[in-house]
Every structure is written in C-alpha cells, then in structure tokens.
Amino acid sequence: MVSQLEKHATSLNSNVARSSPVVVSEEAEALSHSETTMKLTPSFELFQLLEEFEGGKAPPSMSGNALRTPIQNGKDTLAGFDLSEYLQNPKLIEALPDPFKMVEKELQPFSDSIKELVSTDQPILSMAAKHFFEKRHGKRFRPTIVQLVAKAVAAATPDTGVPSGNVQWSGASTLAEPVTPENHQGSDVWRRQAQLGQIVEMIHVASLIHDDVLDEADTRRGGEAVHKLYSNKVAVLAGDYLLARASVLLARLENTAVVQIMATALESLVAGEIMQLKSPPETLLEMETYLRKSYYKTASLICYACRSTALLGGHVYDSAAATACEEFGFHLGLAYQIQDDILDFTAAASVLGKPALADMDLGLSTAPILYAAQETPSLRALVMRRFKKKGDKQAALEALYKSVTAMDKARALARFHAQVSFDFTFGT
Amino acid sequence: MVSQLEKHATSLNSNVARSSPVVVSEEAEALSHSETTMKLTPSFELFQLLEEFEGGKAPPSMSGNALRTPIQNGKDTLAGFDLSEYLKNPKLIEALPDPFKMVEKELQPFSDSIKELVSTDQPILSMAAKHFFEKRHGKRFRPTIVQLVAKAVAAATPDTGVPSGNVQWSGASTLAEAVTPENHQGSDVWRRQAQLGQIVEMIHVASLIHDDVLDEADTRRGGEAVHKLYSNKVAVLAGDYLLARASVLLARLENTAVVQIMATALESLVAGEIMQLKSPPETLLEMETYLRKSYYKTASLICYACRSTALLGGHVYDSAAATACEEFGFHLGLAYQIQDDILDFTAAASVLGKPALADMDLGLSTAPILYAAQETPSLRALVMRRFKKKGDKQAALEALYKSDTAMDKARALARFHAQRAIDALLRLPQSDSRDALIRLTHIVITRKK
C-alpha cells in the first residue's frame, strides 16, 4: 500500500512533465505570448485530483486558484452541504430547485438557433447535425450548467480580486453597469452567457461527431453514429462546420480572455483524444493518467466554460467568484465522467444507448477496472496491452466482478469530486 | 451571347440569396450580435468577380470597400503596372524583388515552431503533421504573403479612415507607438503578424488533411495522402489538433476583430467544402458559382488574413490600407485557384504531385470546362450530372480540347484577377515588399506547377 502511494506521489511530482499529451516547446510558446496574453495552468494543477489516501494532495496557491474564500451576502441555508446525507435519503434533494426546468424556457431561442444553423439547402449536412441536436437523450446538460452559473455569479458583486503573480490582465468583460440578480435577465451579459452555453454545446457535439469517425462506434446516444448513416466525409464536414461556427460566435463575445480560455478548452478536447489514442503503456495503470485524460476529454470544456461565464459577468480571472466557477466545473466534469464509466459496466445497452464495455472495446481502462487492477496484479498486463489478446476483456470483467472493493472505490471517487464541487459557496 | 449575359446578370442579382451555402437565420444571427460586433460582408460582394463583358460589375461602395484611394508617400516607379507587358516579356519581372527570398529567414523561427508543435511522445500524430510541413512542395505561400503584406502596410501611416455606415469599431490593434518601416522589424506588431501567417498555414494544412478524408485522394502534394498512410482516425485528429492550436494562437493576438475575421475565414473554408459536396445542379454551370466556391475554398483565407494583417499593424478596418490588403488577397486567391484549375488539365501528374483531372474525378467543373460548356451545349448536361455516367469525363475533355477559346478564356479570367490584385497593391505606397508582392502575383499566374 505504501509503495503504491509512493509511486503515486512520484508520478504526481512528474505531473508537469507529463501534464500535456502534446508538448509545445518553450521557444514556440514564447513566439505567441506577450506580457498581456494568458498563461493558463491546466485545471488539474489548480485543483485536487485525488483524495490524500490515494496519493493526491491539495495544489499550492497560484494564479488561477489563489482566491478560494467564500463570498457571502447573507445566510446560506445549504452551508456545510454533505452529499452523503442526500445520497442516503434521496428525497431530500427535491427541496432544491430543478436545474433543468429552471432554465429550459430561456434557453429555447438559443438552442433553436443551432438547429437553424444548417439550412435545408444542404440536406445531408443538416440531417447529420440535426441528428445530434434532436435525437440525443442528453438534456442540454452543458448549456444548462452555463446558464445556472451565469445566474449564480450575478449574485456575487464583481470584485477586483487579489492578483497573484504577474497578472497584468483581468479578463473581465467591460460592462456598462455591474450585473445584479435584478438586471441580469435579458441583459447583454445574459445574452452572451447564453451564447457561450450554445458554443459549448456546439463544440461538444462537434467532438462527438468527429469522435465517431475515430471510434467507429456502432451506436451513439440512441441513434446511429453519424458516420454510419452518412460517410466519414460528411461526419468530418459536419464537425468542422460546427467548430467553425462556434469560433465565429465565440469571437463575437468580444472578450479576448474568454476566447483564449475556450480555445484552450478546444485544444484540451483534442489533447484528450490524442492521449486516448496512444499513451505509454506503463501510464495506463495510473489513476492520475485516467483522471487527467478525463479532465481533457470531459471536464476541461465544462470548467473553462464556467470560468468564462464569470468573466463575461464582469468578474476578473483571479476573483473568488471566477475561481469557484472553474473549480465547480472541474469537479463536476470529473464526477460526470467517472459515473459515466461506472455505468459502462452496470447499465444495459438499451438504457445507455451504447453497448456496455464500449471503453474496453477501445482498449481503454477506466476507474472500476483500474481499481480492480490495483487489487489483482494479474490484471495489470491486460490493462497495459489494452485488452488486445483474445479473452482479455472477459478476464478483466471477471476480475472486476470478483472484486469486493473496486466498484465501491470508483463510486467513492465520483462522490469525492461531487462533494468537492459543492464545497464552494456563493451568497444569495 | 446576350441571353447569356442576361442570365449572368440575373444570377448576380440573386447573389445575396445564394451567397452563402449555409444560411443562418436572422434571428439566430441577432442572438450573437451586439452593436460592436462585426458584420462582415463576403469579399465577393465587396470586390468584382467577373469582367463586365461576362456580366460582372463593380460592387457598390459600402463598409469594407468604401476607401479605395491610393496612399502615396512619394514617387511610385511601378504606377500603372500593366501585367500583360510583363507576361509578354517575362524577364522584366526580375527587376522586382524576389518575394520568397525576402522573408525566408525571418519566417524560419515561426515555421520551426509549427514542426515542434507535435511532440515525439505522439509519433503517429507527429508524423502525420510533419508530413505536410516537410514534404510539401508548397513554398510557404501563405505565410510569405502575410509577411510581405505586413511590411507593405508598415509604409502606410495608419489613418482613422472614413467610417461608412454605423461602424462603431475600428478593429485596429492598440499600439504603443505607430508602426513605421524603421521600427517594424522585430517589433511586437511584426511578431503578431508573423504568428498570423503561421496560423493561416495551420488552418490551411488542417483543411488539406481533412480534405483528404473527404476526397479520398490518392496522392496529395507529392506525398501519400495522410489518411492513406494513417487511418482516417489519425487524419481527423491531426486536423483537429492544428485547428485547435491555431485557435489558441489566434486568441493570443489579442485583437477581437481579427479573431472575428479569421473565424469567418475558417467558416468560409468549410462552407466551400459544403458547396462542393452538394450544389443545385443548375448552378453548376454558372461562372459565379465556380468563383464563389473558389472564394470560399481558397481566396477567403488569404484575403481575410491580409485584412487582418493591416488591422494588427494599427490600421482600422475601413481604412484605405486595410481595404487594399483584402482586395489584393481576394483577387490573388482567385487568380491562384483559376491557375490551379488550368494546370489540372495541362500539367502532368508527376509535376503537380496529383493526378490531372482530380477535379473532374470528384465531379467538379472548373473554369476551362465551364467555358467549354458555354460553347458546346451538349456538355452542359454532363456538368450538371457531375460526370457520373461512363464516358462523361472523356467527352468533356474532348470538348475542351476541341474548343478554340475555352482555355484562353480561363487564362484571361486568371489574368483579370491578377491585374486587379496588382491594382489594389498599387494603392499602397511603393516599397520593396509591395513590389515583391507584385512579383508574387506574376508568379502565381505564370507557374507551371
């Protein structure tokens, strides 16, 4: 157990060297930077990836996570919210407002605008894009998050923050008047934040469409994968169109910091795919590798969108509000992915819309398998060779089912991240 | 002939309706716009697409093309430059500076940085990307153009321009001090403009890599198409990575107008691919359709990069300098594409690096075929069905070779745009870099490969 922790600690120390799957040289970076451009630290170096007993530790204070103080405007009835109580008694959560219903109506014009993006002059392309927007079982998850974060930060007075390090920029949108909960709805700020939610959705869907070309998945989200119904050609084009359109809309938000942050989110998505394509085999066993990959593939888009929503609302990059937003999105994104990976084993294909074991079919090991491999040394070689040999997947499954603790540990990891995401507070 | 002109005039009038292959509703657009966001007019509505005798006409003055006055700082030895003289006597052009040699050295660190972008930790991906940057026969065409335009506009004093319409923004980068030819080299402005050139190259290469997934071309630019050497999977990923990286670098230029313009360029590239995928058959015969598609696929990236280079240099969007830049890039891009399409018929595969008739294999009709179809009515059905039937391509080729005028008309169209490109350049003050761009334009339409 100790050697495992030591190993984890060592690997965390070499985080910096391995933090990006694609390394850009310092010289190349220097050519693109000036004194005022943003030097973003990847979110998993700002916030905690793993619990201490698994070798994780709280990252040091730096630009991006320096201000983690609560912003209180009054009494908080949910102070000290303990997720485990609400898991033990599921009825309790219904006292809180329904997130999807709250913003469904105001999001409608923006989501309609995505469907209209693709004219009927191009039936093949419009079918491909609509496929995802109409047939998906997703609940417009990301735009809902962005919209709720937008409202939540409207309740926090924009503060100048405490710049840590050499921060010469603030990133906050220049606003005619400060945002308040009273003037937020229907304002230009509100409109831009809602647009950001749609931009995030477009980037997400574009990555799914391209991902299908990558994964050759047979089904995706309850419908045929785009590239099976239509050629790879159309799938690449549909994804490229959504990305290009998202870029135009992003630029129109007229906040250069937000553009830099969201461009970095896009880069992270692709980096995550690259990590998935080819990682050094020995790293495949490490929980940090898995969590970093989950950050790149899933959490980065969400947490960067949350930080950006605060900036659009007039908060500076290093403010308590903007930091809380990114930290929330970071942990929520990881919790979401870990739960998704758990469901890959526990839910039937008919419910999920994709066959179970999709990850293993691609040679990918996720939290449940990794915890099983910690317990069962014979599983490690299978993980490292990405289940290539005949019988590997079955052997891995059996090891997982035999394990008394693996699935519970995965659930605990998801809960850890969910709890930490609650551990920020806004005043109301 | 008259009815043909009438037809063209009518189709030009319906330009607005058909100007974008993908239509975004006004409501959707309104949700993303504010008073200060840019409302860009497609360049082919700002500048002339066709000569008058073919039904083209000079577009009306509007934001984007309002200021087309010359900026003169002194004597211009190339005033009234007539391309046809320089085509008759090719030695004459050598009096102008060599465009590629002029900027080769200063571009080196920036192009090295692209190669370094993909680390050796990811050998498959790095091979895919390097494939294009190292094995390509291209001469870093786009970064060269951007760098020369950057130098050329440094010689034009930034002016406030004459805002036409309700232009509440200028788009010009905020600079500590005004750019001059003396302080330009090595400055932050120079650095950003050189970065823009690399960004343009990255976007271009990404589109080529993705295009190969689309076209399933067997060879591309002298090497195996990326997706034949590596899977479609890697090709999509390599292209996506370059686009994402380009987006980050673009954002770091810290000019929101430039980001809007270049994002629109990226959107235009994709729109061009969409147009190629599926156009209404009757439009396939029209020269405007072909030229608009050539704008979307080729010229838009170049002309928007040129306008952006001027903005980075401190010129406002509606200035004479910035307008001249976009107009130059627009016509140069079209001339380049038309020449490329001519070479598709005249150059052998070994020289071009791709088999001749690549366009026809994809069912695409370009300038030479379109002019032949104007002359030979039986060719029109073949164009409209995209050469699907057995023997169609051969029949089209024969019609083209039989025609006395088709190839000449295509060459004339390329020359028209090249002259217009030079006319735009002549509005900028004379400088070595501006003259090098004139020579570059000459190279574009005289190249044999």
Side-chain angles (χ1 to χ4, degrees):
Chain A
M1 184 68 174
V2 170
S3 63
Q4 194 81 330
L5 284 174
E6 278 175 359
K7 184 164 181 267
H8 282 190
T10 316
S11 72
L12 281 168
N13 287 338
S14 60
N15 253 4
V16 172
R18 277 213 305 265
S19 60
S20 174
V22 184
V23 176
V24 181
S25 76
E26 283 188 35
E27 293 83 1
E29 278 289 89
L31 283 174
S32 68
H33 273 300
S34 73
E35 286 190 335
T36 46
T37 53
M38 303 185 70
K39 290 90 183 169
L40 292 173
T41 307
S43 316
F44 56 76
E45 288 177 24
L46 296 177
F47 313 116
Q48 193 162 339
L49 262 189
L50 276 169
E51 298 199 70
E52 276 83 1
F53 74 82
E54 291 193 72
K57 57 184 202 269
S61 173
M62 63 182 97
S63 170
N65 71 7
L67 266 197
R68 296 170 80 241
T69 47
I71 308 160
Q72 288 301 349
N73 288 356
K75 183 163 157 48
D76 188 348
T77 60
L78 296 180
F81 186 100
D82 182 357
L83 182 59
S84 55
E85 287 176 30
Y86 287 78
L87 292 172
Q88 274 160 8
N89 185 353
K91 285 273 172 205
L92 284 178
I93 201 71
E94 288 164 26
L96 279 62
D98 181 305
F100 299 103
K101 292 201 173 87
M102 187 179 276
V103 296
E104 196 169 22
K105 230 189 219 166
E106 69 188 84
L107 285 182
Q108 196 60 42
F110 296 90
S111 65
D112 281 346
S113 78
I114 296 185
K115 281 189 281 183
E116 284 193 55
L117 271 185
V118 197
S119 90
T120 52
D121 273 356
Q122 298 294 340
I124 293 176
L125 195 64
S126 67
M127 278 196 291
K130 278 179 181 174
H131 163 84
F132 273 93
F133 291 116
E134 287 175 0
K135 291 185 181 176
R136 290 168 55 219
H137 291 282
K139 273 175 180 270
R140 306 263 189 276
F141 184 62
R142 288 161 185 77
T144 297
I145 291 174
V146 167
Q147 205 67 7
L148 289 170
V149 168
K151 292 175 183 314
V153 293
T157 313
D159 60 272
T160 52
V162 175
S164 55
N166 189 21
V167 178
Q168 298 205 23
W169 41 265
S170 82
S173 283
T174 314
L175 307 178
E177 50 167 2
V179 176
T180 67
E182 292 75 35
N183 70 19
H184 181 244
Q185 190 79 12
S187 66
D188 245 359
V189 169
W190 168 89
R191 183 186 56 75
R192 289 198 194 103
Q193 290 163 329
Q195 273 293 135
L196 178 63
Q198 297 307 310
I199 289 164
V200 170
E201 189 71 353
M202 275 186 247
I203 291 174
H204 173 61
V205 171
S207 75
L208 288 181
I209 294 178
H210 276 188
D211 214 25
D212 271 346
V213 178
L214 302 178
D215 288 1
E216 292 164 341
D218 282 336
T219 57
R220 161 77 75 181
R221 291 197 177 216
E224 286 298 309
V226 171
H227 89 296
K228 290 296 186 195
L229 288 177
Y230 319 103
S231 63
N232 276 339
K233 176 169 158 171
V234 170
V236 173
L237 210 48
D240 285 352
Y241 183 74
L242 287 171
L243 285 173
R245 191 71 197 154
S247 301
V248 172
L249 297 180
L250 190 59
R252 287 182 190 163
L253 298 179
E254 297 194 289
N255 180 320
T256 186
V258 167
V259 180
Q260 290 179 64
I261 293 170
M262 295 308 299
T264 305
L266 179 61
E267 195 184 32
S268 300
L269 271 188
V270 184
E273 285 295 323
I274 292 172
M275 269 182 92
Q276 209 163 265
L277 191 68
K278 190 171 178 67
S279 290
E282 58 281 5
T283 66
L284 291 175
L285 286 165
E286 294 166 11
M287 198 57 75
E288 293 84 26
T289 303
Y290 161 74
L291 287 169
R292 272 199 305 268
K293 193 206 76 181
S294 303
Y295 162 73
Y296 282 117
K297 282 202 71 176
T298 304
S300 64
L301 189 56
I302 298 172
C303 73
Y304 277 145
C306 290
R307 173 92 71 171
S308 298
T309 302
L311 297 199
L312 289 175
H315 297 274
V316 303
Y317 181 83
D318 257 309
S319 60
T323 302
C325 288
E326 183 176 338
E327 186 163 2
F328 160 69
F330 173 77
H331 291 293
L332 180 76
L334 288 179
Y336 183 93
Q337 186 61 57
I338 298 162
Q339 181 69 8
D340 209 55
D341 295 336
I342 288 169
L343 291 174
D344 197 43
F345 291 101
T346 62
S350 59
V351 172
L352 252 194
K354 61 177 177 172
L357 314 183
D359 291 320
M360 263 171 53
D361 283 344
L362 296 168
L364 304 170
S365 293
T366 59
I369 292 288
L370 290 176
Y371 282 122
Q374 280 177 14
E375 194 182 310
T376 310
S378 61
L379 196 42
R380 291 171 202 173
L382 278 61
V383 168
M384 281 169 59
R385 65 181 182 239
R386 301 171 80 113
F387 313 111
K388 271 206 188 77
K389 288 190 183 171
K390 197 170 156 67
D392 274 358
K393 277 175 263 186
Q394 199 54 36
L397 257 189
E398 280 170 18
L400 177 58
Y401 293 148
K402 265 202 220 136
S403 162
V404 175
T405 59
M407 204 55 98
D408 285 341
K409 283 180 178 172
R411 290 191 181 103
L413 183 63
R415 278 198 313 269
F416 162 67
H417 282 291
Q419 178 66 57
V420 181
S421 77
F422 298 137
D423 287 344
F424 73 95
T425 44
F426 291 98
T428 50
Chain B
M1 185 65 172
V2 170
S3 63
Q4 195 80 330
L5 284 174
E6 279 175 358
K7 183 163 181 269
H8 282 192
T10 315
S11 70
L12 282 168
N13 287 337
S14 59
N15 254 5
V16 173
R18 277 213 303 266
S19 60
S20 174
V22 185
V23 176
V24 181
S25 77
E26 280 188 36
E27 293 84 1
E29 278 288 89
L31 283 174
S32 68
H33 274 299
S34 73
E35 284 190 338
T36 47
T37 54
M38 302 185 72
K39 290 91 182 168
L40 292 172
T41 307
S43 316
F44 57 76
E45 288 178 24
L46 295 177
F47 312 115
Q48 193 164 339
L49 262 188
L50 277 169
E51 298 198 69
E52 276 83 3
F53 73 83
E54 290 193 72
K57 57 183 202 265
S61 173
M62 63 182 96
S63 170
N65 70 9
L67 267 195
R68 295 170 81 240
T69 46
I71 309 159
Q72 289 302 345
N73 288 357
K75 183 165 157 49
D76 187 347
T77 62
L78 294 181
F81 186 102
D82 181 356
L83 184 59
S84 54
E85 287 176 29
Y86 287 77
L87 292 172
K88 279 188 223 152
N89 186 353
K91 286 273 171 203
L92 283 178
I93 200 73
E94 289 166 24
L96 278 63
D98 181 307
F100 299 104
K101 291 201 173 88
M102 188 179 274
V103 295
E104 197 169 22
K105 230 188 218 166
E106 69 189 84
L107 285 182
Q108 196 60 43
F110 295 91
S111 66
D112 282 347
S113 78
I114 296 187
K115 282 189 278 184
E116 285 191 56
L117 270 186
V118 196
S119 90
T120 53
D121 272 357
Q122 297 295 339
I124 293 175
L125 195 63
S126 67
M127 279 196 292
K130 278 180 177 172
H131 163 84
F132 274 93
F133 292 116
E134 285 175 1
K135 292 187 181 175
R136 290 168 56 221
H137 290 282
K139 273 176 180 268
R140 307 260 190 275
F141 183 61
R142 288 160 186 78
T144 297
I145 292 175
V146 167
Q147 205 67 7
L148 290 170
V149 167
K151 291 175 183 315
V153 294
T157 315
D159 60 271
T160 52
V162 176
S164 56
N166 189 22
V167 177
Q168 298 207 20
W169 42 264
S170 82
S173 284
T174 313
L175 308 177
E177 51 166 0
V179 175
T180 67
E182 292 75 34
N183 69 18
H184 179 242
Q185 191 78 15
S187 66
D188 245 0
V189 169
W190 168 90
R191 183 186 56 74
R192 289 198 194 102
Q193 289 163 330
Q195 273 292 134
L196 179 62
Q198 297 308 310
I199 289 165
V200 170
E201 189 70 355
M202 275 186 248
I203 292 174
H204 173 61
V205 170
S207 75
L208 289 180
I209 294 177
H210 277 188
D211 215 22
D212 272 346
V213 178
L214 301 178
D215 288 1
E216 293 164 338
D218 283 336
T219 57
R220 161 79 73 182
R221 291 199 175 213
E224 286 299 309
V226 169
H227 88 296
K228 289 297 185 196
L229 288 175
Y230 319 103
S231 63
N232 275 339
K233 179 169 159 169
V234 169
V236 173
L237 209 48
D240 283 352
Y241 183 74
L242 287 172
L243 286 173
R245 190 71 196 155
S247 302
V248 173
L249 297 180
L250 190 59
R252 287 181 188 162
L253 298 179
E254 299 193 287
N255 180 320
T256 184
V258 167
V259 181
Q260 289 180 65
I261 293 170
M262 295 309 298
T264 304
L266 180 61
E267 194 184 33
S268 300
L269 272 187
V270 183
E273 285 296 321
I274 292 172
M275 272 182 90
Q276 209 164 264
L277 192 67
K278 191 172 176 69
S279 291
E282 59 279 6
T283 66
L284 291 175
L285 287 166
E286 294 167 11
M287 199 56 76
E288 293 83 29
T289 303
Y290 161 74
L291 287 168
R292 272 200 304 269
K293 192 207 75 181
S294 303
Y295 162 75
Y296 282 118
K297 283 202 71 175
T298 305
S300 64
L301 189 56
I302 298 173
C303 73
Y304 277 146
C306 291
R307 173 90 71 170
S308 298
T309 302
L311 296 198
L312 290 174
H315 297 274
V316 303
Y317 180 83
D318 256 311
S319 59
T323 302
C325 288
E326 183 177 336
E327 186 163 2
F328 159 68
F330 172 77
H331 290 294
L332 181 77
L334 289 180
Y336 183 93
Q337 187 60 57
I338 297 163
Q339 181 69 6
D340 208 55
D341 295 337
I342 288 169
L343 291 173
D344 197 42
F345 291 100
T346 62
S350 58
V351 170
L352 252 195
K354 61 176 179 173
L357 314 184
D359 291 320
M360 261 170 56
D361 284 343
L362 296 169
L364 304 171
S365 293
T366 59
I369 292 288
L370 291 176
Y371 282 121
Q374 282 178 12
E375 194 183 311
T376 310
S378 61
L379 196 42
R380 291 170 203 173
L382 278 61
V383 168
M384 281 170 58
R385 65 182 182 238
R386 300 172 80 114
F387 313 110
K388 271 206 188 78
K389 287 191 183 171
K390 197 169 160 62
D392 273 359
K393 277 173 265 186
Q394 200 54 37
L397 258 188
E398 281 168 17
L400 176 57
Y401 293 148
K402 266 202 220 140
S403 163
D404 285 333
T405 59
M407 206 52 101
D408 286 340
K409 284 181 179 173
R411 290 189 181 103
L413 184 62
R415 279 197 314 269
F416 164 69
H417 281 291
Q419 181 67 58
R420 284 297 174 108
I422 292 169
D423 291 343
L425 284 174
L426 290 171
R427 303 204 300 265
L428 295 174
Q430 181 165 37
S431 62
D432 279 347
S433 51
R434 187 215 63 177
D435 293 352
L437 284 169
I438 292 176
R439 182 165 176 180
L440 188 146
T441 307
H442 183 275
I443 291 170
V444 160
I445 58 161
T446 54
R447 68 194 174 101
K448 293 288 186 267
K449 59 180 168 82

